[in-house]
Amino acid sequence: IGIKFTGYSNFDEVKRKNFINFISEEDKERVITNFNKSFFKNIGPQEYNFTNKNGEKFLFEIQREVLRTIDGTAYGLIFSCRDITLRKKAETELAQSEEKYRTLVDSIQDGVFLVVDGIISYVNKAFGKMIGYENTEIIGSSYLKFVAPEDRERVKENYQLRHSGKPVAAFYEGRMVHKNGDKVLVNMTARVIN
């Protein structure tokens, strides 16, 4: 662990301390269990909370390698630690932001769907209701499956032009096909999301 994370000012203050002293209480038992397992099998990288002498917490990803003698006998471990506190915080904030966005999109009355490589990867409740399908029946299907046959070529061409960066109308009327076979007239708004 880098000296700055321990809260001490120099290596001499840290060098005789057991590394377990820096593990947060909630992770100590797991660290000891995994430490012992490490001599017998590769358990891969693990994440642990560290607490320094000032009470500050950090999340570290730890990788370890067993040190062995020429005859294969284990005699120690070498550790590699990486501070992932900021990365985990960013991942959590991103997940929360995505959940807020999803909640917002799910609550609007307009049908919204997301197409990735020609396949629908997300739909809100309003879109499913509009064309009579459960969302699970829509996701994973080609977007063209739900476009009326007489509009498919135009919608497909607009999709291709949009993805090639060429100008194309962002708003246009089209017909979708309801699960019961009826046509549903819709005003489409389409954009590329990078």
Side-chain angles (χ1 to χ4, degrees):
I1 303 169
I3 299 300
K4 70 177 184 173
F5 294 111
T6 67
Y8 291 94
S9 56
N10 64 61
F11 181 69
D12 288 334
E13 295 177 289
V14 179
K15 69 181 178 184
R16 299 257 188 267
K17 298 200 177 294
N18 188 324
F19 81 96
I20 202 76
N21 294 335
F22 297 106
I23 304 294
S24 297
E25 286 301 319
E26 68 267 23
D27 285 343
K28 281 187 179 178
E29 189 175 319
R30 190 166 56 94
V31 166
I32 292 167
T33 300
N34 287 339
F35 180 84
N36 293 328
K37 283 183 190 174
S38 295
F39 286 100
F40 305 105
K41 68 177 186 175
N42 183 351
I43 61 171
Q46 301 288 308
E47 295 176 6
Y48 302 112
N49 289 292
F50 282 62
T51 304
N52 71 12
K53 78 170 192 164
N54 304 319
E56 297 170 302
K57 284 195 172 194
F58 301 93
L59 184 62
F60 278 87
E61 180 182 81
I62 309 294
Q63 297 202 45
R64 64 195 66 67
E65 290 293 326
V66 178
L67 300 174
R68 297 186 184 279
T69 61
I70 293 173
D71 68 358
T73 305
Y75 68 90
L77 292 169
I78 188 164
F79 294 90
S80 158
C81 303
R82 182 168 45 144
D83 180 11
I84 59 170
T85 308
L86 294 177
R87 184 186 87 197
K88 282 294 185 178
K89 182 180 178 198
E91 287 173 1
T92 300
E93 288 172 356
L94 178 61
Q96 290 170 344
S97 175
E98 287 173 349
E99 185 58 33
K100 286 178 188 174
Y101 178 73
R102 185 176 306 275
T103 301
L104 172 67
V105 172
D106 273 342
S107 67
I108 63 175
Q109 299 302 310
D110 293 337
V112 176
F113 61 99
L114 179 64
V115 177
V116 178
D117 297 327
I119 303 299
I120 297 176
S121 63
Y122 170 80
V123 297
N124 71 348
K125 293 172 188 169
F127 183 74
K129 186 175 179 181
M130 180 191 315
I131 61 171
Y133 288 90
E134 294 295 323
N135 290 4
T136 55
E137 296 177 284
I138 301 169
I139 294 171
S141 300
S142 167
Y143 71 100
L144 292 172
K145 173 182 177 180
F146 306 101
V147 177
E150 59 270 26
D151 289 340
R152 279 188 192 140
E153 198 53 46
R154 179 171 56 103
V155 171
K156 182 179 178 182
E157 184 180 336
N158 284 345
Y159 178 83
Q160 290 169 338
L161 288 170
R162 193 170 287 109
H163 278 276
S164 66
K166 295 184 178 150
V168 62
F171 307 99
Y172 56 95
E173 276 190 359
R175 287 161 288 223
M176 306 294 285
V177 180
H178 193 278
K179 188 174 185 177
N180 68 12
D182 290 345
K183 303 282 171 57
V184 180
L185 185 62
V186 296
N187 290 316
M188 293 190 208
T189 303
R191 288 192 173 74
V192 173
I193 301 172
N194 294 323

